[in-house]
Amino acid sequence: MPKPRATLLTRRGLIAAGGALGLVVTLAACGGKDAGKDGADAKDKGAAATGPWSFKDDLGKTVEAKSTPKNIVAFTGTAAALYDYGVQVKGVFGPTKTADGKPDVQAGSMDISKVEILGNVYDEFNVEKYAALRPDVLVTNTWDGTYWYVPEASKDKILKLAPAAAVGAGGVYPDKSPVTMDKALQRNAELAKSLGADLASKKNADAKARFEAAAAKVREATKANPGIKVLVGSGSPELFYVSTPETSADLKYFQSLGVEFVAPEKDKLDQGGFYESLSWENAGKYPADVIMLDNRSATLQPDALKSQKPTFAGLPAVKAGQVIPRTTEPIYSYEKCAQILEDLAKSIQSAKKAG
């Protein structure tokens, strides 16, 4: 479960900045009923330009507007996914640019110079700037039944200004089924379609086909190189967080493709059941052949960990040069997730036993 940059010890914090870290009851309830007599091409066309708009989100709420929203404000990662589908937002909140002014990893392919940044860190959201954008809708992720990166202190003011929709990025859906990468992708595509994206366009169709091919590559890699044990972690100056695949959308999906994870002991997990916190003296508690390390800019990356944490440098996977990045908060577009799967397949295929 990801953790925020500013607060590493709260559950929501651990979702937002580094560490371990929905479909609702039926697809029909989520707006997937409009295939009709015109077939797949028609069902994948974007929302009509006129007429009322509605979307049933992954908090179980039906969000409505008089017409398809144009002034869209979104959490950075959600905005990046919409951008890949062809939907542009007016404003963003969440990690958008780094200290040197470059796009944050969560901004994806967006041109961040063309969006109003309402907040760049956890718990930061400029309500006045938000109101000035005259938003038609706010969209974000949800990990634990809340609106991701919408500050608790100003939530009521923010939610009064425009309807808000949340799509599952982790945890479970309202029907208690787990959020997995493939389902989260489908839900983000449905959101994009409701906002005008043409899912039948060549770009979007090719991206989905690429994702499906990449999933097959992961299955092939795990069969061709069985027994490779993968540990998923995130480094902070004080602690090493080890994720369980059971509650993370990406890891649970990778597991379904055959990836073998080293999971922490269940009775050692945090209250939400997402990760175990280890002191650096105990970083080697779970030997592994490959380490997937949180790639977000607020977490310690391999070079820093090797120089600052001798226990990390001594781990078998590190000594074998088998540390690969983990996109802890994926951008849920088929384009971005296809790249994640392609990289994972290559890493599993080439990995040697080290643990």
Side-chain angles (χ1 to χ4, degrees), residues 205-323:
D206 286 352
K208 186 174 182 180
R210 179 185 170 191
F211 173 81
E212 292 167 350
K217 289 177 182 177
V218 175
R219 289 192 188 93
E220 292 166 4
T222 59
K223 289 178 181 178
N225 194 11
I228 296 298
K229 304 295 184 183
V230 180
L231 180 143
V232 180
S234 180
S236 76
E238 297 82 17
L239 297 169
F240 185 51
Y241 302 95
V242 179
S243 299
T244 173
E246 297 305 318
T247 46
S248 295
D250 58 337
L251 305 185
K252 195 158 186 66
Y253 183 63
F254 300 162
Q255 195 173 45
S256 75
L257 299 178
V259 178
E260 297 181 47
F261 288 104
V262 177
E265 301 172 55
K266 290 186 177 180
D267 62 351
K268 302 292 196 229
L269 297 176
D270 71 299
Q271 187 175 5
F274 293 93
Y275 56 86
E276 178 179 355
S277 304
L278 299 175
S279 66
W280 280 109
E281 290 75 13
N282 294 313
K285 179 178 179 179
Y286 301 108
D289 305 306
V290 174
I291 293 176
M292 294 183 72
L293 194 68
D294 190 340
N295 73 339
R296 287 172 296 175
S297 55
T299 63
L300 295 179
Q301 297 305 302
D303 289 345
L305 287 173
K306 288 176 188 177
S307 62
Q308 297 176 29
K309 307 295 179 184
T311 50
F312 179 82
L315 295 177
V318 179
K319 291 194 289 187
Q322 295 179 164
V323 178

Side-chain angles (χ1 to χ4, degrees), residues 19-35:
L21 82 140
L23 269 181
V24 287
V25 179
T26 65
L27 290 179
C30 298
K33 297 194 292 185
D34 51 352

Side-chain angles (χ1 to χ4, degrees), residues 14 29 52 66 82 92 134 157 181 205 267 284 314 351:
L14 284 162
K66 292 181 179 179
L82 291 174
V92 296
R134 302 177 66 85
K157 292 181 181 178
M181 176 177 273
D267 62 351

